Amino acid sequence: MLLITCPHCGPRAETEFRNGGEAGIVRPRDPAALSDGAWTGYVFTRQNPKGRFHERWCHAQGCGRWFTAVRDTVTDRFLSFHPAGEQPDEAGR
Amino acid sequence: MAERIAGTSHLDLKNRPSTRGAQLRMLERPFKAKVGLRGGEDVIRAVEPVLGFALPRRVGETGSGSGAHAFWIGPDDWIIVYEPGREAQIAQALREACRGLHHAVIDLSERMTTICLEGQPLRDVLAAGCPLDLHPRAFRPGMVLQSHLGKANVILHYVAGNADRPFVDLYTNRSFADYVWKYLENAAREFGYEIVA
Amino acid sequence: MSQKARIAQGGRIDRSRTIRFTFDGKRYEGHPGDTLASALLANGVHLVGRSFKYHRPRGFLSAGSEEPNGLVQLEMGGGRTDPNFKATQIELFDGLVAESQNRKGSLRYDRNAVNDRLAHFLPAGFYYKTFKWPAAFWTKVYEPRIRAAAGLGKAPTAPDPDRYLHRHVWTDVLVVGAGPAGLAAALAAARTGARVILCDEQPEVGGSLLSESGRGITVDEVAPDAWLERAKAELGQHPELTVLTRTTCFGYYDHNYLGLLEKVTDHLADPPPDLPRQRLWRVRAKQVVLATGAIERPLVFPDNDRPGIMLASAARTYLNRFGVLVGREVVVCTSDDSAYDAALDLQGAGAKVTVVDQRHTPIGERVVHAQTAGITILRGQGPVGSQGRFRVAQLHVQALDEAGRPIMGRVQALSCDAVLMCGGWNPTVHLFSQSRGKLRWDEGLAAFVPGEGMQEERSAGACRGSWTLAEALVEGLAAGTEAAVAAGFEAHPTPAPAVREPVLGPHQPVWLLEGDRAGQRAWVDFQNDVTAKDLKLANREGFRSIEHVKRYTTNGMATDQGKTSNVTGLAIVAENLSRPIPEIGTTTFRPPYTPTTFGAFAGPSRGDLFDPVRRTPMHGWAERQGAVFEDVGLWKRAWYFPKPGEDMHAAVERECRAVRNAVGMFDATTLGKIDIQGKDGAEFLNRIYTNAWSKLGIGKCRYGLMLREDGMVFDDGVTTRIGEQHFHMTTTTGGAAGVLAWLESWLQTEWPELQVYLTSVTEQWAVIALQGPKARDVLQAVLTRGDISKEALPHLSMTEAEVAGIPARIFRISFTGELGFEVNVPASYGEIVTDALHRAGQPFGITPYGTEAMHVLRAEKGYIIVGQETDGTVTPQDLGMDWAVSKQKDFLGKRSLSRPDMLSPDRKQLVGLLPVDPKLVPGEGAQIVESPKPKLPAKMIGHVTSSYHSASLGRSFALALLSGGRARHGQRLWVSHGDGTAEVEVTAPVFIDPEGARLHG
Amino acid sequence: MTRFSIFSLARNALSGHANWPAYWRSPEPKRGYDVVIIGGGGHGLATAYYLAKVHKVTNVAVLERGWLGGGNTGRNTTICRSNYLYDESAALYDHAMQLWEGLSAELNYNVMFSQRGVLMLAHNTHDLQIARRTVHANRLNGVDNELLTAEEAKAFCPQLNLSKDIRYPVMGAALQRRGGTARHDAVAWGYARGADRLGVDIIQNCEVTGIRVEGGRAVGVETSRGYIAAGRIGCVAAGHSSVVAGMAGIELPLESFPLQALVSEPVKPAFPCVVMSNTIHAYISQSDKGELVIGAGTDQYISYAQRGGMQIIEHTLEAILELFPIFSRMRMLRSWAGIVDVTPDRSPIIGRTPVDNFFINCGWGTGGFKATPGSGHVFAHTLAHGEPHPINAPFTLDRFVNGRLIDEAAAAAVAH
């Protein structure tokens, strides 16, 4: 069971959290203007990377806040945690 | 006969078997006043005079005064707990204080119930289903933490006492009181427990 | 006399008390402190089991959790039966009853032993090569026979009477293993004031010291025993140090999360009912010290599996810890100095001991001691065979060349009643490997040792290949201190202990000894009957990766998980393929370290605690009204209210009739409720609902649909504007939690600029729906404040009022098509208000109704239920609800609705169905076809989503999703029914009051 | 090539089994092949086998990063069934079922296909509706599946706990008698042996590190053992499909999750069939060796580490014991995890990609093993003709663009 550091509550057990998949997928400003393909990319296509991954977590059974974590999907080690609104840098810090 | 229904009413705690004088004591206090407050810095400034004490700003913290406790729930999220009966009046006072600000004041008295635990074994009993670090070094008097007990969300408030005789109030949604109560009884069996009703 | 192999004194058993136990129906005696294994050996019982495949007679190989042979069924009665328990791990208690396993007939005369004669025809993987013809025979004939022969013990057939609990704990340092290294580590860490947990699978701490005779060893000038007593004493002095004995660390998971299984009552004759049988500890450790020791390797030589042939360390444990002498004429076969301790100890206890050392020039200090003690040592020789049916009687030894290969020629037969093997040692690296640590092959030690670690852990002592006591104590001390410091504590200066012990000579492994006789079998995996020949065969057939060899031969896959067979197997494969061991691969170890009880994992989550049972405040009231309940998500909901003598059908008809003709009351408390506050509430609703909200007036309600971004309906409900900046949203019962989470994620991550706060108030309110032409009359009768007249409270509006003296929010909402009110009162008053309404309603014929009647009533009106008319593949257009879909604004999922397939005319659309036979009620889920007797595979053009008999229509009717359905109104089609079909007519999905006159009444 | 039979077994017994040939050669990779298949699991090996057997395309290489069947083929709970709701799925999985039924003979290798029956439990009215919908659909598709009452279910599986006071009492079940289990390793080995015999090169320890694409056409693969030219490339990399497709510049609607499973210690026959419950998330059967084989759920986060959290095992065993309290004292012997590639509609993607000559067969999620023969059979057709077989035609990548999903997840997973 992962140990996840909520930016607001500190390190807590994974069972307090809900994973929200890939982070940083921004909803298109004007969906109507998109091709079916482009819209599909937004709705369905995922990086699913082997290695560093920016993902969303919600501290569902704690403060209820969504935040972003950077995790290596090979080692499952977390590199950093970021409250909503704060973007991880290139190095994932 | 129709009556006001608490989370554990159907369990008939009065006649439920338990051990007189056991180290651990359990009871439900269903009708405490609980008011939810949401808002930013401006709201904090506006309500603190009404409350008469400072709102907690960090996880684990509580603010207390004049028979009330304010729990830190999230960065812009608090629950304020009073003795029963004052919910409407408090909610009203807070709403007035927040007029014009982005805020939410909401009565949660009926949504949540309180199970009061007292006695040395309660840490081990809670640890049977709660993944928090409940060691005296980590969970100290005055603190409040949210987590889960088995499959129920809970808020744990370390009201007072010391490592040998702690008092902890457990808050959970009313329909989960049945589960939480039975869960605690099952975990407490090896220590013995007395139901106070 | 019994216990003939028990020596006069010594050992850690309590000779003052005798306890009785039964094995295979025969009664024996032992002492407190015994294991079942030591007690059986004390009574001279060596034959204790049969192997998995060949049913070979077997005795104990070991004295610990690595035991492959000595498995028994514990039979304590009352549902307490346990298959495959290792007798070496069972603490003896009075009245213990055990049975040997996997035999047909008695243990001595096992009829399945014939397999051993057929061994030639049953090589590794034989079953892949045959039993293929005729095809049907596999399932009917061959497989049942194979299954009957396979398996070991018997599964319980009665429920388990015992309880299991969990315990979460956070610690600064977890030390696994309470041998010398672990004790040193735990004490060092505890001295810093850190929170420390020390666990060990044995009933007492001490590890290898419990089996130590202490010959020639001192620690700080005292014997090892004395040092151990000192250490024990100190353990008690550290308040933050928790010692867990009988506790196995079975799993090392991510982020230093470890699973421990504590056996709380397994060792007790009659367990106290208030104690759990076992406790599963979930430990989150800042730092971990692994001090798990090492496991001795057997020697692989022909017929090395006879009872009486065991590990040297085991014989030593039986002697020094349990006071049992496993043989009087003992041959010790070794390629390592450590076995000389056994030789010396057993000789000291009166056995005639001969040592057969594969090494030509062993030089260790112990060898010298053995020589001085007058023990015969045959150097450069090794075992190549054995004799003895139920217990070894002879060992055949032969001279070896420098490479360890037997030199053909004279074979010497040594008569004996016990053979002790030592093929060196394997560090117990299982947990290190589980932690993702990489193993490294150390050629010098001829063993896998911890390589690069991946988590916050460190190994100390034998589990990293440090064989001496001095190393164990020094490394333990260092590891414990470092761990505590890494956890943020200040090191406590402690001098390293001064240890005197014999100097070790080098180990020279001989992985496989084969005689020259054909057809000889040398066992590698004892329990699974995997021999060196099987490994050869696998290699010959092209299996080279160790994983392939394992799976093909089943080497290392028995209940001991290869603790005594993995590495020897690997080494033999490496020799076969003449490649270095690391190239063949290592096995990745996975949890659990030893088999772990299902019940312990499930813990308290059984019955009522399997999932919370959520009841509404009116549950008790409904019970008193005779309600039958159904599960909806976690909730118990009143399903229907049968009167005496009524079946479900009759009850539901009566309830429906009451609602259509008079008034019914329904508990709608479980619907999700979300309080929405903030100035952007309306804009927020615009984005998440398909319809528009800006213009909704205060006190007005509106129905809304929510879509996922893929355009599919995922929830619906009525939302009400309570104030300019205040909304009250309702969701489906099952959707409540999911919807709130979904809304929060959009607010927090996508639209932080919106000033909106969401709060779940599902449980704040009890909701009683009053539905029917007489609803207003009833409500009026108990209304203590407010105006619910047609004018003041038209359809889809809300007012704050007071019912039976209780403040209430009254919504004019109908899910039945009738005049309807939903009365919301503070939850705890739900029963009081329900009761008041029910009493006030008597003159009007008020009738409580349940979810089934609710389903019928709404279906008659063509109202959908998300999850019944929809299944995650249905759009608003499919449901004919375009009226609820805004053309102007954007909303979640809108773009998906214009994808090609969403517009195709053959999409399944909501329709009504009227069975031609008005009594016939199609099954929900029935498929729709175009002919009465379709040819298979038939073209299915839709399915029935809801289907009932309607009291008000006096006939059956259904809702369905039908391909191109709206264009098919009036068509005759067929629905699958029983083994055939039933004819139906397609209609519009509204059956009563299409113009809504009743609704607005 | 020795045929396997009771007779060859006996003959070899006399020679001490010293003359068995290798199951497959271990050739050096050639410079090029007509078809290169990436992934030596069951699906990839089956594809190679049917390419050679049915389509006579024998200049084929199967490239496996590690050892054959070391991925999900060797890590699943070996359940075979074809009782899927939608026509497209039923056609695909029943195609597989029909091949299963003759597979041991086809491969001259005993894959221990055992039609013990698959029982899917219903615990509430909603489950019953789904069960009926599925059973009726299956019947009309010519796929065997029958509705049972709770009592009939217990008659078929006596270990079932029908008590009314368990949290979610069993209200009924759907039974596919043709469903069952097979020996997962044997499937990989059998296909590998068969393909090798027909001339396919099976190359283990050969990791694909790149896909060479020229002018929108895939022309070969870079591997740890050098460049290999390819007329067509079939990517059958399961959990790693996103990674391999990424080498060709293709992004897929996939997420890879850890999926755990476990076995108990072996016991004498104690469980007759396969039982599954979607509502309380449990499935269980007993292997020929006597181990209870239990499938657990996926972890909530994507990961390429073949491991998962202990809480997943706990939840699974809670569910198992709720249905089968008699197994409470059984013990977990081994647990492990695979990486499953999951699509938004829980149906696989089999066919063309935006890159010519680069084909994918992925997205099998938690249910790929049962489809192995059918998947290989239709994918072989697709690779041989450059066009999908009618059975896999609906399982295109395009469906996520045009919306024609095959949403097997939806039917079972909706709220009520």
Side-chain angles (χ1 to χ4, degrees), chain C residues 12 178 200 202-207 210 228 232 245-246 321:
Chain C
R12 301 177 159 266
D200 193 285
Q202 292 291 329
E204 55 182 322
V205 301
L210 300 173
L228 177 55
K232 278 184 177 168
T245 53
R246 299 189 173 96
R321 182 170 170 188

Side-chain angles (χ1 to χ4, degrees), chain D residues 11 101 109 119 131 138 180 184 186 274 366 374:
Chain D
R11 200 174 331 107
E101 285 167 333
Y109 198 70
L119 202 57
N138 290 157
H184 54 10
V274 180
T366 61

Side-chain angles (χ1 to χ4, degrees), chain B residues 4 110 151 175 186 190, chain C residues 163 168 279 610 763 828:
Chain B
R4 205 174 164 196
E110 298 275 329
K151 294 166 183 171
S175 70
N186 182 51
E190 64 188 285
Chain C
R163 292 162 62 239
H168 294 266
R279 190 190 316 275
F610 175 67
E763 301 227 40
S828 65

Side-chain angles (χ1 to χ4, degrees), chain D residues 54-119:
Chain D
V54 178
H55 307 281
K56 310 291 177 238
V57 182
T58 57
N59 184 25
V60 175
V62 177
L63 309 183
E64 168 54 46
R65 189 168 64 110
W67 40 282
L68 297 182
N72 295 345
T73 299
R75 296 167 184 271
N76 66 85
T77 48
T78 77
I79 296 170
C80 304
R81 61 180 183 92
S82 63
N83 52 349
Y84 277 68
L85 175 60
Y86 291 108
D87 305 0
E88 300 87 343
S89 317
L92 176 59
Y93 288 98
D94 208 61
H95 182 54
M97 182 61 73
Q98 286 160 28
L99 290 167
W100 275 121
E101 285 167 333
L103 197 58
S104 291
E106 166 76 24
L107 297 176
N108 172 235
Y109 198 70
N110 187 357
V111 298
M112 303 186 181
F113 178 58
S114 171
Q115 296 181 295
R116 341 179 46 74
V118 173
L119 202 57

Side-chain angles (χ1 to χ4, degrees), chain C residues 84-153:
Chain C
N84 307 337
F85 265 26
K86 300 178 175 82
T88 51
Q89 284 190 297
I90 299 172
E91 291 180 59
L92 200 67
F93 55 78
D94 210 13
L96 180 148
V97 179
E99 289 279 327
S100 59
Q101 304 185 148
N102 200 39
R103 52 179 165 81
K104 212 170 187 177
S106 76
L107 191 51
R108 275 181 167 271
Y109 306 102
D110 174 3
R111 291 201 290 289
N112 282 339
V114 59
N115 292 5
D116 198 33
R117 302 242 171 62
L118 300 173
H120 283 356
F121 302 93
L122 312 174
F126 72 95
Y127 31 77
Y128 299 128
K129 296 186 169 112
T130 176
F131 302 136
K132 302 184 301 297
W133 184 91
F137 268 45
W138 171 249
T139 319
K140 297 204 168 29
V141 183
Y142 305 131
E143 191 182 39
R145 292 189 187 166
I146 288 180
R147 284 177 174 250
L152 292 167

